[in-house]
Amino acid sequence: MRFVPLDTPKPISKIGLGTWQFGSKEWGYGPDYEHRAADIVRRALDLGVTLFDTAEIYGFGRSERILGEALGEDRAKVVVASKVFPVLPIAPVVQQRAVASAARLGVTSIDLYQVHQPNPVVADTTTMRGMRALQDVGLVGEVGVSNYNLRRWRFAEAALGRRVLSNQVRYSMIDRGPEEDLIPYAEQAGRIVIAYSPLAQGFLSGRYDAKNPPSGAVRRANPYFLPENLERGAQLIEALRGVADAHDATPSQIALAYLLRQPNVVAIPGASSVEQMERNAAAAEIDLTDDEYAALAAAARQFRPVTGLAALPKLIRARTGK
Ligand SMILES: NC(=O)c1ccc[n+]([C@@H]2O[C@H](COP(=O)([O-])OP(=O)(O)OC[C@H]3O[C@@H](n4cnc5c(N)ncnc54)[C@H](OP(=O)(O)O)[C@@H]3O)[C@@H](O)[C@H]2O)c1
């Protein structure tokens, strides 16, 4: 396993484990998945993964409970990251929610506590007052944000008066926005960009095509899985396969290696099986050549999916079958 080159209380592995899938019906993994989830966590620990990401909103607390239980006594050795869902993120609410999350996780301190998304009305000044108090009493180690633009990330730091260690954002080969400013800032300031949906929810695995789309509500609502976009993505998947063959790897592993090339980026793929977890952890060891990286970037740029408003009628048709 490789780690972020930063001075943090505990080392942060370049591949972490995302656990939105745990206890969340919307992924459609069925009742057996809960046992598999515990096996996935245990295997991740064996493989040197030290970052485990959850949130109070995932399965309405179930993800935190499953993760905490599966980590058991190893909780203290790793970086347990959770998130407050900012419905009314004023200081006392943030504090009370952190206590509830810590109890579900079975920890006395949440190593990384993140604001799940920026609140359009409540300013970070009040949210960060709550975070600072949590740090002062030791219930929270590092503070993070999620889905913040650069301006608001820096504002949150000013409000906290300390580093906001990480910003968790959507970052994959087909969502490269963070390369513009968040990643350069992280490198320059000694911060971390945590890449969520790093496999574009499995789109980049090459496992799905127009005739075989994934099931489950999460991905039925994701425009990348519209038949048209799966067709448009075929060339990108071919490019991933080509590089994967040269490394005796899979397209998913190459898609992760592409992100991990940036020193201050970590990726937190979710996994539906232990085998996927193993492959994802192994991706941290893959070094792409400059030529491979450039070819992948070019293939990614050529992928032009139908998204936004233009995708809405197609998504509705796909859901209703009309
Ligand atoms: N902060 C936020 O707002 C936010 C938003 C979204 C997610 N997140 C976090 O980020 C984590 C990851 O994002 P995500 O789950 O949306 O997307 P993702 O990690 O890109 O995709 C996960 C899915 O990809 C497939 N997969 C994983 N490893 C694979 C492999 N080695 N080979 C082939 N397929 C593989 C699995 O689905 P199948 O096997 O079913 O195809 C898995 O459920 C979440 O668990 C959550 O912790 C945060």
Side-chain angles (χ1 to χ4, degrees), residues 95-307:
Q95 289 162 24
Q96 172 248 317
R97 304 273 274 282
V99 170
S101 277
R104 283 189 293 269
L105 285 160
V107 297
T108 50
S109 176
I110 302 171
D111 299 289
L112 175 65
Y113 197 42
Q114 308 154 97
V115 183
H116 207 137
Q117 53 198 44
N119 185 295
V121 181
V122 180
D124 290 308
T125 344
T126 169
T127 306
M128 290 300 154
R129 198 177 315 126
M131 287 291 195
R132 195 165 53 242
L134 287 165
Q135 281 186 312
D136 288 344
V137 296
L139 193 67
V140 160
E142 300 279 351
V143 172
V145 289
S146 176
N147 298 305
Y148 272 44
N149 63 27
L150 180 57
R151 191 190 58 76
R152 200 153 166 176
W153 186 2
R154 297 183 76 157
F155 184 83
E157 302 220 59
L160 185 66
R162 299 170 185 167
R163 73 176 176 189
V164 170
L165 180 66
S166 57
N167 191 357
Q168 184 177 134
V169 289
R170 183 183 298 134
Y171 179 38
S172 74
M173 283 183 70
I174 57 176
D175 283 293
R176 295 180 309 283
E179 290 173 2
E180 276 168 32
D181 54 358
L182 296 179
I183 294 172
Y185 172 69
E187 259 186 63
Q188 164 249 311
R191 306 286 186 267
I192 301 173
V193 167
I194 301 180
Y196 77 67
S197 304
L199 298 171
Q201 299 192 332
F203 178 94
L204 294 167
S205 71
R207 180 176 168 191
Y208 301 107
D209 59 39
K211 291 199 191 82
N212 171 38
S215 56
V218 169
R219 292 184 284 193
R220 274 207 309 271
N222 179 341
Y224 288 144
F225 293 103
L226 285 170
E228 194 174 339
N229 285 336
L230 284 162
E231 270 165 23
R232 288 183 186 205
Q235 268 180 314
L236 174 56
I237 300 297
E238 265 324 293
L240 280 165
R241 280 195 214 286
V243 177
D245 287 347
H247 288 266
D248 202 10
T250 65
S252 297
Q253 289 179 308
I254 299 302
L256 293 173
Y258 174 94
L259 306 183
L260 299 186
R261 235 183 169 230
Q262 319 267 3
N264 289 44
V265 169
V266 308
I268 49 164
S272 64
S273 66
V274 169
E275 193 197 8
Q276 286 184 352
M277 177 68 248
E278 290 169 344
R279 294 220 173 113
N280 296 344
E285 313 293 339
I286 297 174
D287 288 314
L288 300 174
T289 66
D290 290 344
D291 286 351
E292 286 170 337
Y293 186 75
L296 289 168
R301 272 194 301 274
Q302 275 161 21
F303 172 58
R304 298 274 160 78
V306 184
T307 55

